[in-house]
């Protein structure tokens, strides 16, 4: 029997340079997608998947995230006084979403280093990693789909999406074979970071959801800075692959890269169209643009 996944690590210590100037003062993870900070989508996905403890890796200037998931005494009392009960409920609900711990990454030394910062809180159990700028729209939460695979198979699971053509060069890509018994499952034998299109070993691009066994923490401690001088999570996972089985999982759903300006625009349009209160009005507005 594999252990149940109870903890999810959210690396949010990066600088968000792709979104400058918006991210000069505001953490990228706090940028609003329609009306919710992008990190809240990930936190809700984790909770809906059954995660009990969320660990957010923060950095300098990232305090807004802690305030967001806490009570806001001034806001709540003002809303109460004004009789704005629905808004008060929204504000209070955010504060009671989850048990959240924060670890500060003193320097943005890379995604691998950010995950390693959670070592003491994660302890000796398998855990999830959610990159908050990957926002996922799925009927069954992406992490829940992966947790089901982990429970059945017992090895680390990496979420993937199929990427056709030269766009694959922007991703980490898995090498290996699709499992004969399940077209979404990929038996991984290797991984390559941002390969040339002609050299990509498959169309399975790694996206920002992982379930990892605790052994990866020990391997991260031994990982030297790699591409861009950063401690790369993929380097440690590649080392893990030498010791343990790792699966790719082509999740059912759609992923948006909300850490990128164009990805954020796509997500904004599609999430807005789905909103009951103004989706239809927004559809009519877009139609009226006669593009
Ligand atoms: P990204 O490369 O997407 O984030 O890292 P970034 O470095 O903030 O963004 P750009 O490229 O400059 O625009 C993926 C995730 O890893 C976190 C980021 O916050 C992001 O959620 N990260 C990255 C850390 O927590 N610490 C780091 O040292 C680097």
């Amino acid at each position: 029997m594999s252990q149940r996944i109870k903890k999810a690590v959210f690396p949010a210590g990066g600088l968000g340079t792709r979104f400058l100037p918006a991210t000069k003062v505001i953490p990228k993870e706090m940028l609003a997608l329609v009306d919710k900070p992008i990190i809240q989508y990930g936190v809700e996905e984790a909770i809906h998947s059954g995660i009990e403890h969320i660990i957010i890796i923060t950095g300098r200037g990232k305090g807004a995230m802690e305030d967001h998931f806490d009570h806001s005494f001034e806001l709540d009392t003002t809303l109460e006084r004004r009789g704005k009960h629905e808004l008060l409920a929204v504000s209070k609900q955010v504060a009671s979403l989850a048990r959240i711990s924060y670890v500060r990454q003193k320097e943005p030394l890379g995604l691998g280093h950010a995950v390693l910062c959670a070592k003491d809180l994660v302890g000796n159990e398998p855990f999830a990693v959610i990159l908050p700028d990957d926002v996922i729209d799925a009927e069954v939460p992406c992490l829940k789909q992966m947790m089901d695979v982990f429970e059945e198979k017992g090895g680390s699971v990496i979420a993937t999406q199929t990427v056709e053509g030269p766009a694959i060069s922007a991703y980490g890509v898995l090498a290996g074979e699709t499992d004969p018994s399940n077209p979404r499952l990929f038996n991984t034998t290797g991984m390559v970071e941002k390969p040339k299109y002609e050299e990509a070993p498959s169309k399975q691009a790694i996206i920002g959801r992982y379930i990892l066994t605790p052994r990866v923490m020990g391997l991260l401690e031994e990982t030297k800075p790699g591409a861009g001088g950063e401690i790369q999570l993929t380097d440690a996972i590649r080392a893990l692959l030498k010791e343990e089985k790792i699966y790719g999982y082509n999740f059912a759903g759609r992923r948006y890269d909300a850490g990128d300006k164009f990805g954020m625009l796509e997500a904004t349009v599609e999430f807005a169209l789905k909103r009951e209160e103004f989706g239809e009005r927004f559809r009519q507005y877009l139609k009226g643009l006669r593009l």
Side-chain angles (χ1 to χ4, degrees), residues 78-130:
T78 306
L79 291 174
E80 186 139 41
R81 209 177 46 235
R82 293 185 183 164
K84 305 261 187 200
H85 298 296
E86 273 182 33
L87 292 176
L88 179 63
V90 170
S91 167
K92 286 195 158 168
Q93 190 251 353
V94 177
S96 58
L97 270 177
R99 177 178 164 216
I100 306 184
S101 304
Y102 299 89
V103 180
R104 193 149 153 144
Q105 186 188 22
K106 293 202 177 95
E107 257 184 278
L109 297 178
L111 174 58
H113 180 259
V115 171
L116 183 58
C117 289
K119 181 173 184 265
D120 291 345
L121 285 173
V122 163
N124 195 27
E125 53 184 278
F127 62 102
V129 175
I130 290 190

Side-chain angles (χ1 to χ4, degrees), residues 213-232:
T213 56
R215 171 72 184 123
V216 79
M217 292 296 193
L219 293 167
L220 274 169
E221 280 175 326
E222 293 161 19
T223 303
K224 301 266 175 309
E230 297 196 333
I231 296 175
Q232 301 286 348

Side-chain angles (χ1 to χ4, degrees), residues 10-19 28-29 57-58 62 105 107-115 130-133 230 257 259:
F10 284 66
L15 297 176
T17 54
R18 280 172 297 157
F19 232 117
K28 163 173 74 173
E29 298 77 11
I57 311 303
T58 69
K62 297 271 185 164
Q105 186 188 22
E107 257 184 278
L109 297 178
L111 174 58
H113 180 259
V115 171
I130 290 190
L131 303 195
D133 41 0
E230 297 196 333
D257 182 3

Side-chain angles (χ1 to χ4, degrees), residues 27-44:
K28 163 173 74 173
E29 298 77 11
M30 286 302 294
L31 296 178
L33 171 50
V34 186
D35 54 2
K36 236 189 254 180
I38 60 174
I39 192 168
Q40 194 177 330
Y41 288 90
V43 167
E44 288 175 356

